[in-house]
Amino acid sequence: MVKGELAEVWTEALQLIERQLTRPSYEAWLRNTRPVSLEGDRLVLAVPNQFARDWVLERCSGAIVDSLRRVVGHDVRLEVVVEPQPAPPATGQVAAATEAPLAPAPSDAGSSWRTLSQPLNPKYTFETFVTGSGNRLAHAAALAVAEAPARTYNPLFIYGGVGLGKTHLMQAVAHHVLRKHGSRVAYVSCETFTNEMINAIRDGKTLEFRNRYRNVDVLLVDDIQFLAGKESTQEEFFHTFNALHEANRQIVISSDRPPKEIPTLEERLRSRFEWGLISDIQPPDFETRVAILRKKAQLEKLHVPDDVIAFIAERIDTNIRELEGALIRLVAFASLTNHHIDLDLAQEVLKDILPPPRANKVTIARIQEVVAEYYGVKVRDLKARRRTRAIAFPRQVAMYLCRELTEASLPRIGEEFGGRDHTTVLHAYEKISHDMRHDPHLGRQIKELMDLIRKG
Ligand SMILES: Nc1ncnc2c1ncn2[C@@H]1O[C@H](COP(=O)(O)OP(=O)(O)OP(=O)(O)O)[C@@H](O)[C@H]1O
């Protein structure tokens, strides 16, 4: 398997493995693994030392093999080798991190500066971030902050559900600031901040810890909800926040919920988080999901037909990580088994990971299936360019039902019927509505079809 594909497969597998292990175990042992090769059913994994090798083989080979089976669709034999150099970070997010993540270290900061920021994923930039109704405001605010740190919203607080792009957006700010201003940027997860603080206390180096964090131009802290219940970390973060804010430095924070819903967050911190701008990210709508998949395919130079993209986008509607995961799984499977990617393959390969269509959710695909069967034509014909009367009528009925029973826009319905214009859909809708009023027989057919479609 070529390197890029292997990285993708491993990225997806890591996301599944992560769910099966405790966070500290995952961070300690799997974060620094590197996939070396996957030939046939043999996966070679590199770890930094013998201890890690023993641990991985003894404690998580089951999780690894199990996750890989789900990604590539067959059993995999695991081989772990020791690679003494520090392996490049290989979590889902940073698998391909190659560029130097930090701005040039200020001469007085020395090596401690280098250890301050976590590595950035080179792919998480504004250029690769697709905007849509759910994230437009958060994107605009992040861009404004990146363009002019500490001059617009300070702090910027971004919150949203799992896998909706908070980390991507935070790191896009970091990349942009580094590139444009060459400033000192620190991107850390709340957990890293906490761990570093604990270590500093243990090693009697609290002063150094403070100086490091209070000397940056832009501080980005991811997943701040993990401050909940950690009193001394909250205390420390409070002072860091004040020092930076007073010195007119930019602070960007992300969380899975708004400040007032973070339990046991001290009032003084909560109110500070609310000083600047609070912006949420909502799940993407269908068009944005399609655009994200297209962008991903384009960035990875993958050819994925439009109907396959629409199929995945229709079925995964809440989590962008899962959306991308489904695409990667499909591409990996097709490449491993030398298959051409089409809708049949997508349905087969993704059947275990896609949520079942919601019982009461009527989709365009469902309407097309029912109408085609009812009138004895093929779904393929409904989507074809042909205009014969025998097909035109069921097609118009199907378009009418799509407009009545789904929330899809006219252009989107047109897209699903062989890329027809939205005016064609509107015409079909008006024609069938008109005919129904004059033809009770047609009225009964439509009613019958609606019942069949809703039965699911
Ligand atoms: N608008 C977008 N355009 C392109 N890719 C996106 C977008 N939003 C999210 N992604 C991709 O989806 C994946 C998950 O995003 P990310 O890790 O930023 O989510 P998150 O909100 O931080 O999740 P978590 O709550 O688990 O920390 C990433 O691969 C990211 O690149």
Side-chain angles (χ1 to χ4, degrees), residues 1-160:
M1 182 183 283
V2 295
K3 232 170 151 198
E5 281 166 9
L6 178 60
E8 298 278 26
V9 165
W10 185 238
T11 297
E12 213 210 335
L14 274 177
Q15 283 164 7
L16 298 173
I17 296 166
E18 196 177 357
R19 292 188 207 145
Q20 300 182 43
L21 303 176
T22 63
R23 185 114 196 150
S25 299
Y26 176 82
E27 293 285 325
W29 308 113
L30 281 169
R31 215 179 155 75
N32 289 325
T33 52
R34 188 177 74 82
V36 178
S37 62
L38 176 56
E39 305 295 347
D41 66 352
R42 179 167 161 267
L43 171 83
V44 181
L45 211 57
V47 295
N49 53 48
Q50 185 62 34
F51 194 47
R53 180 175 181 273
D54 293 345
W55 200 95
V56 166
L57 284 173
E58 273 171 40
R59 311 285 287 274
C60 54
S61 59
I64 295 176
V65 169
D66 180 45
S67 306
L68 276 160
R69 186 187 309 116
R70 287 165 65 193
V71 177
V72 297
H74 59 74
D75 280 323
V76 169
R77 279 183 301 127
L78 178 65
E79 227 177 272
V80 183
V81 296
V82 174
E83 188 182 62
Q85 277 82 22
T91 63
Q93 276 69 336
V94 292
T98 48
E99 76 178 38
L102 296 175
S107 51
D108 62 344
S111 59
S112 61
W113 164 250
R114 288 224 145 254
T115 57
L116 185 53
S117 184
Q118 288 175 217
L120 301 178
N121 184 333
K123 294 181 182 168
Y124 289 179
T125 62
F126 282 118
E127 289 77 24
T128 58
F129 191 84
V130 175
T131 54
S133 52
N135 62 23
R136 210 180 302 285
L137 275 178
H139 170 266
L143 193 57
V145 159
E147 284 283 329
R151 277 203 287 179
T152 45
Y153 316 112
N154 201 12
L156 171 62
F157 190 104
I158 299 170
Y159 75 90

Side-chain angles (χ1 to χ4, degrees), residues 5 13 22 34 47 67 112 117 122 199 208-209 211 263-264 302 316 375 393 400 413 428 450:
E5 281 166 9
T22 63
R34 188 177 74 82
V47 295
S67 306
S112 61
S117 184
N199 292 344
E208 280 167 41
F209 170 82
N211 286 340
T264 72
L302 306 169
I316 300 184
Y375 290 110
F393 172 68
Y400 169 87
I413 297 173
M450 284 184 166

